[in-house]
Amino acid sequence: MARGGQALARVAVVVRAGAAPLWWAGLTAAGAGALLPGLTGRRIGLLAGAALFLVTAAAVALARRGRHTRLATDATRAARADFLQDRAVTLRAWRRAHRWWLLGAFTAAVASSFALPGAGGLWLAGAGAGLWLKALWIGHRERTEDRLWWVRADLLGRGPAGKPVTAYRTTGIAAGDAAPGGARRR
């Protein structure tokens, strides 16, 4: 970037980027899996899947909250020369980088239906729901603190709370094209 500016991506948008693909892939896999009788039967498979859904959603929503909070506490104000990445660009980049993981997870969820019908798909949907809940939590924190959390786009290889990220950058609540929590602005 010119004059030392860097590309910044919204933390909530990066977290939320995986929610919809995981949710829809999980529901599709669960639906396809529910058509198979499986080794344990549909009822046991779907009940196990419902339990997996709840546990996974809670675990994903609560994971790394402390790290997000520490990074936000150490955050610095974004520089005038920094480039704020659009929501659509961030979503597209994340989904392109993870498309093979998503396809592999979908395939594994459908294949697991031969043992527990629908359980793998509901587990995958639970991961998507957990990411969505985490994005809502981040949005609530952003509104409470009246500042948006941004992360350098070149450090996103391991996620917005990965080891390469040492601190977030912040802007005012009106910056960028995404609302607090990563949703589209209306």
Side-chain angles (χ1 to χ4, degrees), residues 10-12 68-78 137-150 167-175 178-181 185:
R10 279 285 303 284
V11 173
H68 282 289
T69 303
R70 281 191 302 279
L71 289 169
T73 302
D74 297 338
T76 58
R77 188 93 174 133
W137 172 76
I138 291 171
H140 174 72
R141 291 287 309 266
E142 288 175 334
R143 276 189 292 280
T144 302
E145 297 174 7
D146 201 31
R147 61 187 191 154
L148 300 177
W149 300 352
W150 298 81
Y168 290 153
R169 306 266 177 98
T170 62
T171 61
I173 204 81
R185 284 202 194 268

Side-chain angles (χ1 to χ4, degrees), residues 6-186:
Q6 297 167 335
L8 302 179
R10 279 285 303 284
V11 173
V13 172
V14 174
V15 168
R16 193 181 183 121
L22 287 171
W23 173 259
W24 289 112
L27 288 183
T28 304
L35 299 175
L36 302 171
L39 297 176
T40 60
R42 285 185 191 98
R43 182 172 179 219
I44 291 174
L46 291 175
L47 286 174
L52 280 172
F53 177 89
L54 294 174
V55 169
T56 304
V60 169
L62 296 174
R64 304 193 95 167
R65 277 193 182 192
R67 175 111 169 110
H68 282 289
T69 303
R70 281 191 302 279
L71 289 169
T73 302
D74 297 338
T76 58
R77 188 93 174 133
R80 183 177 294 267
D82 286 339
F83 173 74
L84 304 180
Q85 200 171 50
D86 287 341
R87 179 181 186 276
V89 172
T90 303
L91 289 173
R92 187 172 45 248
W94 188 94
R95 289 176 182 166
R96 250 189 217 149
H98 294 86
R99 66 180 171 244
W100 294 111
W101 287 101
L102 292 169
L103 182 63
F106 174 75
T107 305
V110 171
S112 72
S113 293
F114 289 107
L116 280 169
L122 288 173
W123 170 75
L124 201 59
L131 287 174
W132 182 71
L133 290 171
K134 184 183 284 190
L136 287 179
W137 172 76
I138 291 171
H140 174 72
R141 291 287 309 266
E142 288 175 334
R143 276 189 292 280
T144 302
E145 297 174 7
D146 201 31
R147 61 187 191 154
L148 300 177
W149 300 352
W150 298 81
V151 64
R152 283 181 36 197
D154 60 334
L155 299 179
L156 283 175
R158 302 183 113 193
K163 281 189 178 184
V165 180
T166 56
Y168 290 153
R169 306 266 177 98
T170 62
T171 61
I173 204 81
D177 65 340
R184 265 186 236 127
R185 284 202 194 268
R186 296 176 198 246

